[in-house]
Amino acid sequence: NAGVTQTPKFRILKIGQSMTLQCTQDMNHNYMYWYRQDPGMGLKLIYYSVGAGITDKGEVPNGYNVSRSTTEDFPLRLELAAPSQTSVYFCASSYSSRGFVADTQYFGPGTRLTVL
Amino acid sequence: KQEVTQIPAALSVPEGENLVLNCSFTDSAIYNLQWFRQDPGKGLTSLLLIQSSQREQTSGRLNASLDKSSGRSTLYIAASQPGDSATYLCAAEGSGATNKLIFGTGTLLAVQP
């Protein structure tokens, strides 16, 4: 299993540009997440999904959009890039069946995004 | 609102020393408490997960404890090695949330050979 894969690894955007960060998992996990990590800070949840077709906002959703058309893919869309979105973005997935299975999250290697 | 704090922010120890990393959380109504390791430029790797009904978990040289009443968790690393050098993050999952993890800011550990 490749686990959680993310593309691209690095990207530089100009203010106002848009882009999509890709995330794919091959573990048949039902839950998927997007986090951002700013320097010296912990991770903050942007959006999450509990299954195909179902998404919900996390702590810091403004400026982002997501979709979940398949179990495997969970892309994150930035429509109008701003310098405040300069960060490292992590995608994660887990299998969750509350009360039965430990909800360990598996993380991708991250995408380092700079907005100039 | 759940807040997670990790102290110290950075720690440097000589090889072979036993050490403890601390994690505090403000809301004791958690589903579980997780410890992760992050190497520079890499993603997070899960180390230990403690369910709310458990008091501790062990994996090799690592032992994590959970005291919900005091809002504290500790990660004990025995006989530290240079390869243990990394950032260690704890995260609390709220019992009312849907697998939403609230992360601390991490402790940067350096083990000197």
Side-chain angles (χ1 to χ4, degrees), chain A residues 5 8 11 14 33-34 37 45 47 53 63 66 70 74 77 102 108:
Chain A
T5 57
R11 184 72 185 268
K14 294 181 179 178
Y33 318 82
W34 275 105
Q37 185 178 35
L45 183 65
Y47 271 95
V66 294
T70 67
F74 191 39
R77 178 83 176 164

Side-chain angles (χ1 to χ4, degrees), chain A residues 31 33 35 37 40-43 45 48 50 57 59 90 94 96 98-99 101-105 107-109 112, chain B residues 1 31-32 34 36 38 41-46 49 51 89 93-95 97-105:
Chain A
Y31 284 22
Y33 318 82
Y35 295 91
Q37 185 178 35
M41 304 294 288
L43 280 70
L45 183 65
Y48 68 99
V50 301
K57 297 177 181 179
E59 291 180 83
F90 290 101
S94 70
S96 292
R98 270 192 186 270
V101 178
D103 303 328
T104 300
Q105 294 190 17
F107 283 77
R112 192 172 297 270
Chain B
K1 179 184 173 187
Y31 186 63
N32 62 50
Q34 302 184 38
F36 294 87
Q38 184 177 27
K42 306 286 187 184
L44 280 67
T45 300
S46 179
L49 182 153
Q51 304 270 14
L89 294 147
E93 180 183 351
S95 60
T98 311
N99 292 91
K100 293 183 183 178
L101 291 178
I102 304 299
F103 282 83
T105 53

Side-chain angles (χ1 to χ4, degrees), chain B residues 4-5 14 19 29 31 51 55-56 58 67 73-74 77 81 94 107:
Chain B
V4 179
T5 305
L19 60 101
Y31 186 63
Q51 304 270 14
R55 295 300 298 265
E56 64 179 309
T58 297
D67 184 344
S73 177
T74 61
I77 302 177
Q81 303 170 357
T107 294

Side-chain angles (χ1 to χ4, degrees), chain A residues 30-69:
Chain A
N30 50 350
Y31 284 22
M32 295 188 73
Y33 318 82
W34 275 105
Y35 295 91
R36 61 177 286 172
Q37 185 178 35
D38 298 325
M41 304 294 288
L43 280 70
K44 292 193 182 297
L45 183 65
I46 305 172
Y47 271 95
Y48 68 99
S49 168
V50 301
I54 306 170
T55 63
D56 205 350
K57 297 177 181 179
E59 291 180 83
V60 290
N62 291 344
Y64 307 95
N65 279 300
V66 294
S67 60
R68 182 99 182 269
S69 56

